[in-house]
Structure formats: C-alpha cells, structure tokens
Amino acid sequence: MSEYESVWCDLQGVAFSQGYLNVEGVRTRYLHAGDRNRPALVFLHGSGGHAEAYVRNLAAHAEHFSTWSIDMLGHGYTDKPGHPLEIEHYVRHLISFLDAIGAARAHISGESLGGWVAARAAYDHPGRVDKLVLNTAGGSQADPEVMQRIITLSMAAAADPTWETVQARITWLMADKSKDYADIVASRQRVYRQPGFVDAMRDIMALQDPEIRARNLLGPQEYGGITAPTLVVWTSDDPTADIAEGKRIASMIPGARFEVLPECGHWPQYEAPAAFDALHLEFLLGG
C-alpha cells in the first residue's frame, strides 16, 4: 500500500485560517496563511475545483506573502449564482475579492480555469495584478475531445458522487495514476454532495460549450496586452494540452517565462509541490 496522503498532514504546523468573506454579496470561502500586511497572493483552482488544490503550497508561500486560496464563484462552498458562468463573471468576483481583502494589487496564480481567469484579469485590470502565473492554464484553445472528457467526468461525479466517479475525475488530473488520492477525493465528494450541485456543475460546464467557449477564448490581442511579468508553467503529462500549447501561450505574452515540470499532470502544485514552490517563489520574489 502506498503511503496515505492526508490534507491534514499538508497543513500540520501551518498557521492558517479557513473562513468566508462577503464579496459584493457573494459568500466566498477561503484558506489563508501568512501575515496580512505582506503582499497579497491569490491562488485560483480549475473547473469544478476548490481551495484544497493548494493545500501543499500554503506553508512555503506564507513565509513571504499574505496567501489566499479561494473557492471561485460557483465552486466549492462559495455561493452559486444560478446562471452559466463565463470568464467575465469569475474576473468580476476575483477583483471584488481583492477589494474585500483590501489588496490594491496582488500576485495572481491560476491553474487551468484559474489561469484563464487570471490572464483575463491581468488584461482587463492591469493595475490590480503584480505578477501573473499561468499553471497549465485554459482559455487558449477549444479541443472538442478534451472539452467532452471534462463534461463527461465532471457531470458524472456531480450527478452521482460515488467514490469511483469522483476518484475518476481526480485521477484524470494526475500523471501518477497508481495513487488513490483518497483525501482529495473525499474532500471533493463532500463538495459535490451539496444540495443543488448538479445544477451548479452544469453552470460551471458552460465554458465547455463550443459557442460559449468561443466568445471567452483568449488570443494574441489579450495575451499580447498583458503587462504583468508572467510565468507560464506546463507539465510533461498535462491531459488538456501538450507542451507546445503552453509554449504558444507564453510566446504571445510579452517577456513571459516558460517552464516545464516533469512527471506531472494538470496539478503540478500538488504532484510536485517542492519543485513547484521553488520555481514559483523564485519568480515571485525575483526582481
């Protein structure tokens, strides 16, 4: 049996808090670690995800930043608005969250959907984003096969959140399929068992609809208009797009740095936290 991986082991010894903020009427769940007087850093998870995506990264970043990992709009235990969610809705919520924590500016680091939102926020609100990290970020293309896979796995997990359906959704994210990821599966299963979550997931899946996705995609104009120093992180085994797509994204962003983490899937911050944290901190703390 492989060693059991517990969320609590990741958080043991970390001075962190979990709570809710009123973000323009949206009750928003967060995990926070670090001195609130330090520069703000906000982590954004992917489609159907939740703040626990970054439990392994709070300790290292809290030494330097007021570090927040949030349940994005319509996700986790944050309020569900009851309509299809597009990128502008997430961006508005993110900027309102920065207002709620009193951060005029923040470093924004997003994975998958979170990266899509972070990039759009950096383009729309350049004055609010210090440094930008796009971690296996979505929003640059529409691959019908990948989109359908996300819909199938996500809707199956939300409609019938058994151990097997939720585990299938989590394992898909990872390069190492041999682990059971039990604690993350259990955490997500609890999220998906909330009343009304099937409807919430349907709203989250709006961006996998070809027509809706098309009007939300980012291209040379948006990426080219990003002024924040940017790090694009990709992986050897990302299930949503290959390394070439990550390089293409980086090539459109002026001065962007591109790095690949080996033996990782869609969650390098979880699968290789030490390598991710070292790279991430070196970029954020660099001149």
Side-chain angles (χ1 to χ4, degrees):
M1 178 182 170
S2 61
E3 185 177 345
Y4 185 78
E5 297 181 347
S6 166
V7 167
W8 279 110
C9 289
D10 297 320
L11 293 172
Q12 266 179 328
V14 182
F16 82 100
S17 62
Q18 173 182 222
Y20 292 86
L21 282 174
N22 183 328
V23 177
E24 286 202 337
V26 177
R27 187 171 185 260
T28 301
R29 174 180 172 250
Y30 66 81
L31 302 179
H32 178 266
D35 185 337
R36 293 200 185 201
N37 293 315
R38 288 180 171 156
L41 164 64
V42 180
F43 283 120
L44 301 175
H45 59 73
S47 293
H50 37 96
E52 282 78 9
Y54 291 97
V55 288
R56 293 186 166 173
N57 316 105
L58 292 180
H61 289 83
E63 293 179 26
H64 307 279
F65 303 103
S66 176
T67 305
W68 305 82
S69 180
I70 68 171
D71 284 353
M72 290 165 62
L73 181 67
H75 285 71
Y77 295 97
T78 289
D79 280 348
K80 317 299 183 284
H83 60 73
L85 292 166
E86 301 192 38
I87 296 302
E88 65 175 317
H89 303 125
Y90 295 117
V91 170
R92 190 180 310 137
H93 180 248
L94 170 62
I95 297 302
S96 296
F97 178 80
L98 297 184
D99 293 341
I101 63 172
R105 300 171 63 85
H107 301 305
I108 309 294
S109 180
E111 173 263 324
S112 193
L113 170 63
W116 190 349
V117 173
R120 184 77 213 196
Y123 175 70
D124 287 346
H125 303 276
R128 305 301 300 270
V129 180
D130 270 334
K131 289 188 177 181
L132 174 68
V133 181
L134 305 181
N135 171 13
T136 63
S140 63
Q141 64 174 0
D143 183 326
E145 190 175 325
V146 171
M147 290 155 64
Q148 190 54 55
R149 185 76 176 138
I150 292 170
I151 291 171
T152 300
L153 285 169
S154 300
M155 291 310 303
D160 184 22
T162 65
W163 192 264
E164 291 72 26
T165 60
V166 178
Q167 188 175 53
R169 179 68 175 83
I170 294 295
T171 305
W172 177 78
L173 299 167
M174 309 298 187
D176 186 349
K177 311 294 187 188
S178 69
K179 296 180 180 179
D180 59 18
Y181 303 103
D183 237 32
I184 289 291
V185 172
S187 299
R188 185 163 296 198
Q189 187 179 38
R190 181 67 63 88
V191 169
Y192 287 7
R193 283 179 171 171
Q194 293 176 90
F197 206 86
V198 173
D199 290 335
M201 184 64 82
R202 203 168 283 119
D203 289 337
I204 290 167
M205 289 297 107
L207 286 168
Q208 309 306 323
D209 174 87
E211 186 178 328
I212 294 174
R213 191 180 189 87
R215 63 174 176 255
N216 284 273
L217 285 177
L218 307 177
Q221 176 180 329
E222 291 80 19
Y223 288 121
I226 292 173
T227 55
T230 303
L231 169 65
V232 177
V233 179
W234 224 259
T235 66
S236 57
D237 296 271
D238 183 72
T240 65
D242 59 19
I243 290 172
E245 183 60 17
K247 281 185 179 173
R248 190 178 78 86
I249 293 171
S251 74
M252 291 185 278
I253 301 172
R257 176 177 167 186
F258 181 72
E259 299 284 350
V260 177
L261 289 174
E263 298 178 9
C264 292
H266 205 45
W267 269 27
Q269 79 282 355
Y270 188 87
E271 282 197 277
F276 177 87
D277 289 348
L279 173 64
H280 204 252
L281 285 167
E282 188 255 320
F283 171 70
L284 292 180
L285 296 171

